[in-house]
Amino acid sequence: MFSDNHFSNAKSWPFEEARKIIERLKTLAGKDCVVLETGYGPSGLPHIGTFGEVLRTTLVMRAFRRLSNNPAKLFVFSDDMDGLRKVPANVPNSEQLEAHLEKPLTSVPDPFGQYESFAHHNNAMLRRFLDSFEFEYEFKSSTEMYKSGVFNEYLSKILIHYEEIMNIMLPSLREERQKTYSPFLPICPKTGKVLQVPIIEMHPNRCTIVYEDPETGNLEEISILDGYCKLQWKADWGMRWAALGVDYEMNGKDLIDSFKLSSKICKIIGGRPPENLTYELFLDEGGKKISKSKGNGLSMDEWLKYASPESLAYYMYQSPKRAKRLYFDVIPSAMDDYIDSVRSYYASGNDNKILDSPVFHIHNGNPPRFSNCLKFSMLLNLVQACNTADENVLMEFVRKYVDESSESDETMGFLRKMVKFAITYYKDFVMNTRKFIVPDDLQRRAITELRNELERMDCRADADDFQTKVFEIGKRFFKDDMRGWFKTLYGFLFGFESGPKLGSFIHLYGVNNTINLIKNKELANVE
C-alpha cells in the first residue's frame, strides 16, 4: 500500500525521531542493530508515565524500521538495584518496609507477598501490562546486569577516569553533597544497604575502592565488579549507554540537566550518548508531576478499568512535548478522539496524511475499521437516560442505531466493551455530579415546543433531521444565543452544561423514549 517515498515524506513525530537515528548510523562504522532504551525505577507501582515512555519509544522503533533495513530492538531497563529511599504511600504492609530502607529494591521484601522482592513485584506488573499490549522489547534488570558482570568493563573505565568524572559532577552538587559524593555506591556486606559514602582510596589495577564504614569508622576495601558496588544514577545512565550501545532514549523535561551530565560521562569512558527526545511531564489532577512513590495520577489498571488500551495509546501519542494531565476526567475525551481518528483514517484517501495519523502508529499500520462507532460520551448519556446498568439493555439501543448487518464483529465487540466501560465510569464519576437545571419560563416553553415537534416527527427520521429540528426551535426561542439553548437542554436532560450531539442522541435513544424523557423531567420540575 505504501512506498518508500511515502514513508520518506511522512512528517509525524515518530518518523522525525527515527530520522535522527538514521543520520546517527551514517557516522557509526560497523553498527548494525540499533538499540533503543527506556528506563523504569521500580521504587513504586508502575504508572501511566512509564507506559507512555515505552509506547512512544516503540513508535519510534517502528518508524525506524519502515525507513531503514537495519534491525532495531528496544531495551526496557529496570533500575532495580537502587536503594529504597522512602516507603511508597500506596502499598500494603508499608510498615514492614521501614526496616529495609536503603537496601537495593531487589533485596526489599514484597509487601504484597507475591514475589521474592518489591522490585520483582513491580517489574512483573510492568511486564504484564507491556505484554498485554504486545510490545516488542527485551527486559533488562540492573541487578542482574551488575551481578552477571555485563557492566564490568565499563565499571573499570569509570574507576580509571574517576577524577575526570568527579570534575564533571561536583559543580552540579550542593556544597554539603560534594563532601560525600562518589560515582560508586558500595553495597555494605553486613547490612546489605546501598552506601553513599566518600571514597578514601582507589585501586584501578585490582578494581577496588576503599571507603569508611559509617557505623564502625573502619576502612573497608570492596570490589567495584560483579554487583558489589553500583553507580550513582547519572554515572549509571552514562555507563549503561556505553556498555549497551544505546542509540536512542527519551527523557522527561525534569531530566534535561541529568541527560547532559550523563552524556559527558558516557563520552569519557568511550561511548556515544544516544539521540534524544525531551518530553513534557505528566501531571495529576492538581497540575503536579505524577510520582510512583506518591501514587498520584492514574495507574495503568485504573485507566483500563474505564477505557480501552487504544485510547490510552492515543492519548500518549499526542504532542509528547506538551504537558499532559493524567486523571480520570481526561478519559472520555481520549476515547472519543481515538474513535474520531479511526473513522477519519480510512476516509482520508491521502496516503501521506494516513501515515501521519495517530492510529497508523498505535496500530502499527493496521487500524480497525469503525465506520459507525458510537462515541463514549454518547454512551455515558445513554446510560443516564436509560437509568440502567444492564449492558444487554443498552446494547439493544446500540444495535438499533448501528446497522449490525453492515458492521464487523470487531466493531460490535468494541462497542460492547465501550458499553461496559461507560457503565463503570458513569457509576464512579458521573452519577453523583449531575446538577439539573429548573428551566425558567422561556426555557420551559422552548423545551415543550421541542417535545411537541418530536411528537409530530416520523420516528424513522435520521440523526440529521432531529438535529435540524433542535436548531430550528433554538433559533425560534433563543435567536442569537444558541449556546444558551444547548446548555439549557443538556442541563435539563442530563445535568451537565455540555453533552453529545442531540440529533444523534435522539436517534440512538429513540424519538418516543426521548419524548418520555422530556415529559418525566417536566413532571419532576412541576412536583
Side-chain angles (χ1 to χ4, degrees):
M1 179 180 180
F2 301 110
S3 66
D4 291 343
N5 186 55
H6 283 124
F7 292 127
S8 64
N9 291 328
K11 303 299 182 185
S12 49
W13 69 261
F15 282 110
E16 294 294 342
E17 292 300 302
R19 291 188 184 100
K20 292 182 185 178
I21 304 174
I22 290 173
E23 290 302 310
R24 175 189 178 91
L25 283 180
K26 294 177 181 178
T27 64
L28 295 175
K31 179 78 174 184
D32 180 23
C33 184
V34 163
V35 176
L36 301 91
E37 183 184 59
T38 182
Y40 164 61
S43 57
L45 305 181
H47 58 57
I48 291 180
T50 308
F51 164 71
E53 191 169 307
V54 177
L55 170 75
R56 289 168 172 174
T57 308
T58 296
L59 301 184
V60 174
M61 180 174 68
R62 290 173 179 172
F64 172 81
R65 287 173 172 172
R66 295 182 186 278
L67 294 173
S68 172
N69 293 323
N70 290 76
K73 57 186 176 182
L74 169 62
F75 292 161
V76 173
F77 194 96
S78 173
D79 288 303
D80 55 20
M81 202 172 175
D82 287 353
L84 178 67
R85 289 177 293 177
K86 59 182 178 180
V87 177
N90 58 343
V91 299
N93 306 312
S94 58
E95 66 283 352
Q96 297 178 10
L97 301 185
E98 293 288 344
H100 299 277
L101 289 172
E102 307 305 329
K103 291 183 180 179
L105 292 163
T106 43
S107 298
V108 176
D110 177 17
F112 297 89
Q114 299 172 349
Y115 293 86
E116 60 184 278
S117 76
F118 188 35
H120 284 84
H121 175 274
N122 292 340
N123 287 343
M125 284 192 65
L126 176 67
R127 295 177 72 174
R128 173 171 58 83
F129 185 81
L130 299 181
D131 291 344
S132 72
F133 208 78
E134 299 183 353
F135 284 122
E136 179 186 343
Y137 68 96
E138 294 181 27
F139 186 80
K140 301 290 183 182
S141 160
S142 177
T143 302
E144 293 175 5
M145 301 290 275
Y146 271 96
K147 289 186 175 182
S148 66
V150 171
F151 290 151
N152 281 355
E153 176 186 350
Y154 286 90
L155 291 171
S156 299
K157 291 182 178 182
I158 294 284
L159 188 57
I160 291 170
H161 296 280
Y162 187 91
E163 294 301 332
E164 293 175 74
I165 293 171
M166 289 291 284
N167 290 337
I168 288 172
M169 290 302 305
L170 289 180
S172 70
L173 303 172
R174 298 188 305 273
E175 182 178 355
E176 182 180 349
R177 185 72 182 93
Q178 289 178 355
K179 297 175 183 178
T180 61
Y181 180 83
S182 166
F184 288 101
L185 301 174
I187 310 298
C188 181
K190 293 179 294 184
T191 64
K193 292 183 177 181
V194 181
L195 302 177
Q196 298 199 40
V197 291
I199 302 306
I200 308 301
E201 298 176 16
M202 294 164 289
H203 301 284
N205 59 323
R206 56 178 184 262
C207 296
T208 63
I209 55 175
V210 176
Y211 67 94
E212 182 179 308
D213 188 306
E215 293 186 359
T216 66
N218 296 331
L219 296 183
E220 303 287 348
E221 184 171 2
I222 193 169
S223 171
I224 62 167
L225 308 179
D226 301 324
Y228 290 99
C229 285
K230 77 172 298 292
L231 294 176
Q232 294 272 9
W233 85 269
K234 293 183 182 72
D236 181 277
W237 208 12
M239 179 276 296
R240 186 195 311 165
W241 293 337
L244 301 179
V246 177
D247 297 294
Y248 185 89
E249 181 158 1
M250 298 181 181
N251 62 265
K253 183 180 179 181
D254 55 335
L255 298 182
I256 291 176
D257 291 338
S258 298
F259 185 87
K260 292 176 181 178
L261 292 170
S262 297
S263 295
K264 291 178 180 179
I265 294 171
C266 180
K267 291 177 182 177
I268 285 175
I269 59 177
R272 179 172 172 178
E275 304 305 310
N276 173 253
L277 167 69
T278 299
Y279 57 80
E280 268 286 0
L281 303 180
F282 301 102
L283 309 176
D284 67 8
E285 184 182 24
K288 297 180 180 179
K289 176 188 171 184
I290 61 173
S291 164
K292 292 184 293 294
S293 58
K294 291 180 181 178
N296 59 339
L298 279 172
S299 74
M300 294 177 287
D301 287 337
E302 284 173 328
W303 184 292
L304 295 180
K305 178 181 178 182
Y306 303 108
S308 69
E310 297 90 347
S311 67
L312 174 55
Y314 182 94
Y315 189 70
M316 288 294 164
Y317 172 90
Q318 300 283 40
S319 305
K321 294 185 179 181
R322 189 180 68 204
K324 290 183 179 294
R325 290 181 67 255
L326 283 173
Y327 208 67
F328 297 102
D329 59 357
V330 306
I331 291 176
S333 60
M335 284 285 285
D336 284 351
D337 290 345
Y338 166 72
I339 292 168
D340 282 341
S341 188
V342 173
R343 283 174 174 172
S344 62
Y345 180 84
Y346 290 104
S348 170
N350 184 323
D351 287 345
N352 288 328
K353 188 174 181 180
I354 284 175
L355 290 179
D356 290 331
S357 167
V359 295
F360 172 84
H361 291 280
I362 66 177
H363 287 287
N364 200 15
N366 188 32
R369 290 181 180 271
F370 297 156
S371 61
N372 199 21
C373 188
L374 286 164
K375 286 192 174 185
F376 188 66
S377 55
M378 179 75 76
L379 291 174
L380 284 175
N381 283 283
L382 179 64
V383 174
Q384 175 181 309
C386 293
N387 193 29
T388 181
D390 188 329
E391 75 174 78
N392 292 320
V393 171
L394 297 168
M395 281 301 297
E396 286 302 314
F397 286 98
V398 171
R399 291 188 183 96
K400 291 175 183 177
Y401 182 83
V402 179
D403 183 1
E404 190 174 0
S405 63
S406 65
E407 288 295 341
S408 65
D409 292 339
E410 185 178 35
T411 302
M412 296 308 297
F414 183 74
L415 281 167
R416 182 171 285 279
K417 290 178 183 178
M418 282 237 294
V419 165
K420 293 179 180 179
F421 290 139
I423 292 170
T424 305
Y425 190 91
Y426 179 80
K427 286 179 178 178
D428 289 355
F429 299 110
V430 178
M431 188 165 59
N432 296 321
T433 63
R434 295 170 296 171
K435 294 181 180 179
F436 293 98
I437 68 164
V438 177
D440 59 26
D441 183 63
L442 176 65
Q443 293 170 330
R444 180 183 54 75
R445 287 189 289 113
I447 292 169
T448 300
E449 182 64 16
L450 173 62
R451 172 170 55 79
N452 292 335
E453 289 288 346
L454 289 176
E455 288 175 342
R456 288 191 284 268
M457 289 187 72
D458 188 336
C459 63
R460 294 168 296 181
D462 61 25
D464 289 339
D465 293 332
F466 292 125
Q467 188 72 9
T468 298
K469 187 60 65 177
V470 173
F471 264 96
E472 287 177 356
I473 295 169
K475 290 176 181 177
R476 192 182 313 162
F477 285 86
F478 287 80
K479 295 182 180 179
D480 297 326
D481 187 20
M482 290 299 291
R483 185 172 181 272
W485 166 230
F486 283 102
K487 284 182 65 175
T488 295
L489 286 176
Y490 293 132
F492 178 73
L493 294 174
F494 307 121
F496 297 104
E497 290 190 351
S498 61
K501 190 175 181 180
L502 286 166
S504 297
F505 176 79
I506 296 169
H507 187 220
L508 167 65
Y509 192 46
V511 64
N512 291 329
N513 287 328
T514 304
I515 292 167
N516 289 331
L517 177 64
I518 295 173
K519 286 180 178 179
N520 290 335
K521 296 294 182 184
E522 289 173 327
L523 287 173
N525 280 310
V526 171
E527 294 172 359

